[in-house]
RNA sequence: GCCGUGUUGGUCAACCGGUUAAGACGCCUCCCUUUCACGGAGGAAUAACGGGUUCGAUUCCCGUACAUGGUACCA
């Protein structure tokens, strides 16, 4: 068997959608599982939809995910160029070959004429509005025209497209890796445009030609491509032979969490979650669409979550690293039905990965978050210690700021209500004594502080528990965070005393 | 409209003819913690509908319904 070669073929028209990343992932996993190559080919055949910066952005997203292409417009490769706009001249030859073989034809119809045809068919009560065998002899093309008329049009430079000639009496059968055997009657497939009037191929021609030229062995794409698969297969049959055709796998869609339908950017805006991998700024409107990365997701979690949306290992394992996914992935276990995106579950994955990964993996990112908020971090050992202490309560990276900023900034507001109702002069006295005692403490650790605290409480005949909450409010300002004595230990003696003294004044009524 | 694909709890899902129909997220209760979490123990909650095939269907087949994708000189 020849070497496995798969490709992700994005068109650079905007932000990189969740579903796109999952397609990348499955391609990548399959390739690596089989020791094959993963290729990224840019499908920019529609010049009218070209969006500046979109291509670079897509590669940035892949880099963030840690998925590297073996061949692409960035790294090059033996089958360059990897941008279809730069391969423009290649396609025409194949289209002409099809025309010469009677498998395709020139069509001169204007958009208006096609529109009229559709209106007529609709008026006739026809179920199909396609440009197909039923109408093609009534249209203006090299099949219906006399050869000299066609020649005259061509010579006169009349704009034309090349359409595939679909034989209505035949049918197409093929095996899809996720759906099994599929069958399509040709009557239902239309004479798709292969070459556009501007000389660019359409997707239909370009994928087939490039998949052949690039020796692609397996083609994974979204389910939305299923209806046009027969056209691609016919093209393979005509041009390169079915034996050389890649194996197809049409992946299920990722659906919106509420209601139904394909997940779109709008759903994210509406429901408050990201849909794009990374922040995307529309170059025309400057509108920013939030990405998973910027919201504080770890790539490991993002990929893990995506992998499980439409695939599962058949075991109870849910947490997978990229390498583990490569190992476990099989196309047979990809589901057929679409999956609704669940943001809560996505966050759960991130929480898991925050716990699992060493702090060092994301310390730099968290540091940036702190610095954006005006807290400079200059002791990374100290910082790491803190992050380790609070990570259990963090789901997204910015949560670290919420959970740990008090280590760097003494409280300026105190949850007085949590203390006041039970505040007594005895308690005040306790804390004053406590300060004196800890001043004499030689080793200032969570354990020694706790021992001292409890001994003193017993001595003063106050339940330690009743003092812990006030102590917490003194150090943190509010009712959250790790164990109080851990906090005190990290704050160190001097700062702990300072905060208690300050709070004591505030609690004074 | 036509064509394709799909349908197990609220969500992700296992099971590939015989099960008390796993597990996870979320939700609820309790425990732990006199903070917020984590964690632990429980709980509620599922095979769209109707026909077949079969000794036996969630599993296979056919309809219906619903959903979704396509129906572009977009990918």
């Amino acid at each position: 068997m020849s070497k496995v070669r798969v490709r992700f073929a994005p068109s650079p028209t905007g932000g990189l959608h969740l579903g796109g990343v999952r397609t990348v992932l499955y391609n990548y996993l399959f390739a690596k599982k089989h020791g094959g190559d993963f290729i990224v080919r840019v499908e920019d055949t529609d010049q009218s939809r070209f969006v500046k910066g979109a291509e670079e952005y897509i590669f940035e997203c892949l880099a963030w995910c840690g998925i590297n292409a073996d061949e692409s417009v960035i790294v090059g490769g033996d089958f360059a160029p990897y941008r279809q706009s730069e391969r423009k001249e290649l396609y025409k030859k194949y289209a002409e070959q099809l025309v010469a073989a009677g498998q395709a034809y020139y069509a001169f119809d204007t958009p208006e004429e096609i529109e009229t045809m559709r209106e007529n068919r609709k008026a006739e009560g026809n179920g199909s509005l396609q440009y197909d065998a039923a109408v093609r002899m009534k249209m203006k093309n090299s099949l219906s025209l006399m050869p000299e008329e066609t020649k005259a049009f061509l010579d006169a430079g009349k704009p034309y497209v090349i359409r595939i000639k679909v034989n209505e009496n035949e049918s197409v059968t093929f095996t899809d890796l996720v759906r099994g055997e599929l069958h399509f009657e040709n009557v239902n497939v239309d004479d798709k445009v292969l070459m556009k009037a501007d000389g660019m191929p359409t997707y239909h021609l370009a994928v087939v030609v490039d998949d052949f030229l690039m020796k692609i062995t397996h083609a994974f794409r979204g389910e939305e491509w299923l209806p046009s698969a027969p056209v691609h297969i016919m093209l393979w049959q005509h041009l390169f032979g079915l034996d050389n055709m890649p194996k197809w796998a049409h992946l299920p869609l990722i659906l919106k969490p509420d209601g139904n339908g394909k997940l779109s950017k709008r759903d994210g805006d509406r429901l408050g979650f990201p849909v794009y991998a990374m922040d995307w700024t529309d170059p025309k409107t400057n509108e920013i669409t939030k990405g998973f990365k910027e919201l504080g997701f770890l790539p490991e979690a993002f990929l893990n979550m995506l992998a499980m949306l439409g695939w599962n290992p058949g075991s109870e394992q849910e947490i997978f690293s990229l390498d583990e996914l490569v190992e476990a992935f099989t196309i047979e276990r990809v589901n057929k039905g679409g999956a609704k995106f669940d943001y809560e579950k996505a966050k759960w994955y991130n929480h898991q990965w925050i716990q699992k990964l060493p702090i060092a993996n994301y310390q730099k990112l968290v540091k940036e978050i702190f610095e954006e908020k005006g807290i400079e971090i200059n002791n990374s050992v100290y910082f790491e210690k803190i992050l380790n202490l609070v990570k259990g309560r963090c789901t997204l990276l910015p949560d670290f700021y919420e959970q740990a900023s008090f280590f760097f900034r003494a409280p300026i507001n105190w949850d007085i209500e949590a203390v006041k109702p039970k505040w007594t002069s005895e308690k005040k006295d306790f804390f004053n004594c406590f300060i004196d005692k800890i001043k004499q403490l030689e080793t200032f650790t969570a354990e020694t502080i706790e021992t001292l605290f409890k001994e003193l409480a017993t001595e003063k005949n106050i339940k330690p528990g009743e003092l812990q909450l006030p102590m917490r409010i003194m150090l943190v300002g509010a009712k959250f965070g790790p164990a109080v004595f851990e906090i005190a230990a990290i704050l160190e003696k001097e700062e702990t005393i300072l905060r208690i003294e300050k709070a004591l004044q505030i609690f004074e009524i």
Side-chain angles (χ1 to χ4, degrees):
Chain A
M1 193 180 137
S2 55
K3 189 178 194 190
V4 166
R5 289 175 57 82
V6 302
R7 98 275 120 136
F8 173 57
S11 70
T13 52
L16 183 60
H17 189 273
L18 267 180
V21 181
R22 196 195 53 177
T23 303
V24 173
L25 220 209
Y26 288 7
N27 265 290
Y28 178 84
L29 296 178
F30 185 84
K32 294 306 148 192
K33 167 108 187 178
H34 295 98
D37 292 330
F38 170 62
I39 293 127
V40 177
R41 182 176 69 218
V42 177
E43 310 231 327
D44 56 348
T45 51
D46 186 1
Q47 287 146 337
S48 67
R49 294 214 308 164
F50 174 83
V51 175
K52 197 170 178 295
E55 184 185 303
E56 293 77 357
Y57 165 88
I58 287 168
F59 283 100
E60 283 168 21
C61 289
L62 296 188
W64 174 61
C65 290
I67 291 183
N68 301 308
D70 296 297
E71 295 165 30
S72 72
V73 297
I74 311 274
V75 297
D78 294 343
F79 302 85
Y82 290 91
R83 195 147 29 214
Q84 290 185 330
S85 59
E86 293 170 14
R87 304 170 64 81
K88 186 175 171 182
E89 298 313 313
L90 280 168
Y91 309 108
K92 176 131 177 116
K93 180 180 101 188
Y94 294 101
E96 294 294 349
Q97 181 188 323
L98 289 167
V99 174
Q103 292 157 332
Y105 56 91
Y106 300 110
F108 303 96
D109 315 274
T110 63
E112 294 72 29
E113 287 166 338
I114 291 172
E115 189 48 39
T116 307
M117 176 272 286
R118 293 206 171 103
E119 302 273 313
N120 291 156
R121 290 195 87 171
K122 202 185 281 182
E124 290 165 10
N126 206 313
S128 168
L129 273 22
Q130 302 180 140
Y131 192 123
D132 60 16
V135 295
R136 83 182 150 228
M137 293 312 284
K138 295 180 210 158
M139 304 300 288
K140 205 178 290 176
N141 56 55
S142 60
L143 258 27
S144 63
L145 263 24
M146 298 310 281
E148 45 285 7
E149 287 180 291
T150 299
K151 186 169 188 309
F153 275 163
L154 254 21
D155 290 346
K158 187 174 170 63
Y160 67 92
V161 299
I162 294 178
R163 310 185 86 110
I164 183 171
K165 184 184 173 211
V166 176
N167 294 125
E168 57 181 331
N169 302 321
E170 298 170 9
S171 66
V172 170
T173 300
F174 72 101
T175 303
D176 183 281
L177 263 21
V178 342
R179 282 150 219 281
E181 190 163 292
L182 263 18
H183 184 80
F184 293 84
E185 291 296 334
N186 282 13
V187 241
N188 300 317
V189 352
D190 61 335
D191 288 356
K192 286 245 181 308
V193 169
L194 265 22
M195 289 292 296
K196 305 187 244 185
D198 65 0
M200 277 292 213
T202 58
Y203 171 82
H204 307 295
L205 211 217
V207 246
V208 171
V209 169
D210 286 342
D211 282 352
F212 170 74
L213 260 21
M214 296 184 180
K215 295 187 160 58
I216 301 303
T217 58
H218 299 265
F220 303 157
R221 57 183 4 175
E223 189 188 324
E224 67 269 26
W225 290 106
L226 214 40
S228 54
V231 175
H232 309 320
I233 290 162
M234 284 176 222
L235 253 19
W236 270 98
Q237 205 165 10
H238 296 333
L239 257 16
F240 313 116
L242 257 22
D243 292 344
N244 297 316
M245 185 169 76
K247 301 252 187 310
W248 298 100
H250 290 88
L251 275 16
L253 267 13
I254 295 179
L255 278 14
K256 54 185 80 189
D258 63 333
N260 294 293
K262 213 162 50 154
L263 180 68
S264 73
K265 171 178 113 50
R266 288 225 156 268
D267 299 314
D269 297 344
R270 185 171 55 90
L271 271 12
F273 59 77
V275 168
Y276 289 162
M278 290 170 57
D279 275 8
W280 165 251
T281 307
D282 187 300
K284 288 199 182 74
T285 61
N286 273 328
E287 184 198 351
I288 297 174
T289 306
K290 276 291 177 191
F292 279 86
K293 176 181 182 241
E294 288 78 1
L295 268 127
F297 277 84
L298 262 14
E300 289 84 352
F302 181 54
L303 255 24
N304 193 165
M305 177 272 293
L306 248 21
M308 304 306 282
L309 215 53
W311 171 87
N312 78 80
S315 70
E316 287 190 6
Q317 186 177 355
E318 287 199 275
I319 303 300
F320 286 88
S321 67
L322 189 54
D323 287 344
E324 288 169 332
L325 284 172
V326 168
E327 181 62 29
F329 187 79
T330 57
I331 196 76
E332 289 75 21
R333 292 202 68 90
V334 172
N335 293 124
K336 296 184 189 53
K340 290 184 182 179
F341 174 66
D342 182 355
Y343 189 49
E344 291 306 319
K345 186 86 187 225
K347 287 194 288 193
W348 176 79
Y349 278 107
N350 208 55
H351 180 261
Q352 295 300 313
W353 276 97
I354 283 179
Q355 313 316 313
K356 183 178 160 96
L357 254 20
I359 300 290
N361 278 251
Y362 50 81
Q363 180 165 169
K364 194 161 167 272
L365 293 168
V366 178
K367 185 177 178 213
E368 281 165 20
I369 292 169
F370 273 71
E371 292 182 343
E372 272 168 34
K373 304 268 192 182
I375 296 177
E376 288 300 318
I377 306 297
N378 28 43
N379 184 338
S380 66
V381 174
Y382 180 66
F383 191 48
E384 184 177 341
K385 205 161 139 193
I386 289 169
L387 299 192
N388 250 317
L389 193 60
V390 303
K391 68 177 180 184
R393 44 207 95 207
C394 297
T395 295
L396 298 175
L397 260 19
D399 293 345
F400 277 101
Y401 176 80
E402 306 302 328
Q403 292 295 330
S405 60
F406 67 83
F407 282 110
F408 302 91
R409 274 188 192 140
I412 44 171
N413 289 304
W414 293 260
D415 186 351
I416 306 280
E417 287 311 306
V419 182
K420 210 167 89 180
K422 290 183 179 172
W423 191 243
T424 60
S425 54
E426 288 76 18
K427 287 182 182 172
K428 186 184 167 187
D429 174 55
F430 167 87
F431 280 102
N432 280 129
C433 291
F434 184 57
I435 291 171
D436 291 337
K437 294 267 187 189
I438 55 181
K439 278 180 181 164
Q440 295 154 29
L441 208 54
E442 284 188 13
T443 48
F444 195 74
T445 66
E447 293 71 33
T448 58
I449 302 163
E450 181 164 3
T451 307
L452 181 93
F453 188 90
K454 290 189 171 161
E455 280 171 5
L456 186 61
T458 310
E459 194 180 302
K460 299 274 178 188
N461 210 11
I462 307 175
K463 276 193 269 181
E466 292 206 10
L467 296 160
Q468 282 191 42
L469 184 62
M471 170 97 161
R472 171 177 299 281
I473 305 296
M474 289 169 173
L475 301 184
V476 179
K479 285 195 284 185
F480 70 91
V484 255
F485 304 114
E486 295 280 358
I487 295 173
I490 288 188
L491 249 20
E492 295 178 357
K493 191 188 283 187
E494 191 184 347
E495 179 65 15
T496 299
I497 292 169
L498 243 36
R499 289 193 186 188
I500 294 174
E501 283 172 341
K502 174 75 179 171
L504 246 18
Q505 294 168 27
I506 301 293
F507 292 172
E508 203 72 66
I509 314 146

